[in-house]
Amino acid sequence: MPARSKYRLGRKLEYRIKKLLEEHGYEVIRSAGSHGKWDLVAVKDRDVRLIQVKKGKVQKHKIKNLMPLLAQPALLSREAWFYIPRGGIKIVRNDGMDWSKILITDAEEDLKHGSRKSNR
């Protein structure tokens, strides 16, 4: 099967799954053509699903190939990013579960030093 046809088939399947998730109340973002780890990101209330879409039977060798991806621990943070003209980009997040204790960091520093790790 030509690569273009495989792409179209994969895209069609991603849209089908996206529609199913949306019918169940999820907001879904499709990572179009990114060839990244996740094809879909689905969010509903506090439920976040990172989804890799595959076609075909569920087989042990396919699952084995996906295990490094599926076994990675996830760190989730809920953030608001503010662009401040001539001031840069600031990230606002809570300190753990307590929204009365907010953290404000500079985006460049946050990304460079991984400040997000402290927000679990």
Side-chain angles (χ1 to χ4, degrees), residues 48-93:
V48 178
R49 294 173 179 240
L50 304 175
I51 301 167
Q52 175 61 241
V53 177
K54 295 292 181 194
K55 181 185 180 294
K57 294 180 182 178
V58 177
Q59 298 171 323
K60 286 185 181 180
H61 74 278
K62 288 183 182 178
I63 295 169
K64 186 177 179 182
N65 291 340
L66 289 172
M67 285 311 291
L69 181 66
L70 300 176
Q72 292 176 346
L75 175 60
L76 172 69
S77 64
R78 292 161 291 182
E79 306 170 339
W81 289 44
F82 289 83
Y83 169 70
I84 303 167
R86 295 180 300 281
I89 299 172
K90 304 295 181 192
I91 301 172
V92 177
R93 69 171 68 85

Side-chain angles (χ1 to χ4, degrees), residues 38-49:
W38 308 109
D39 298 316
L40 302 171
V41 177
V43 180
K44 178 181 175 182
D45 302 322
R46 293 175 18 137
D47 184 15
V48 178
R49 294 173 179 240

Side-chain angles (χ1 to χ4, degrees), residues 7 14 18 33 51 80 90 109:
Y7 173 80
E14 288 169 8
K18 181 179 185 290
I51 301 167
K90 304 295 181 192
E109 289 297 313

Side-chain angles (χ1 to χ4, degrees), residues 18-51:
K18 181 179 185 290
K19 182 180 177 188
L20 176 65
L21 287 160
E22 288 171 341
E23 288 171 354
H24 284 84
Y26 283 88
E27 291 183 46
V28 184
I29 299 169
R30 181 176 166 266
S31 180
S34 71
H35 304 289
K37 293 180 181 181
W38 308 109
D39 298 316
L40 302 171
V41 177
V43 180
K44 178 181 175 182
D45 302 322
R46 293 175 18 137
D47 184 15
V48 178
R49 294 173 179 240
L50 304 175
I51 301 167

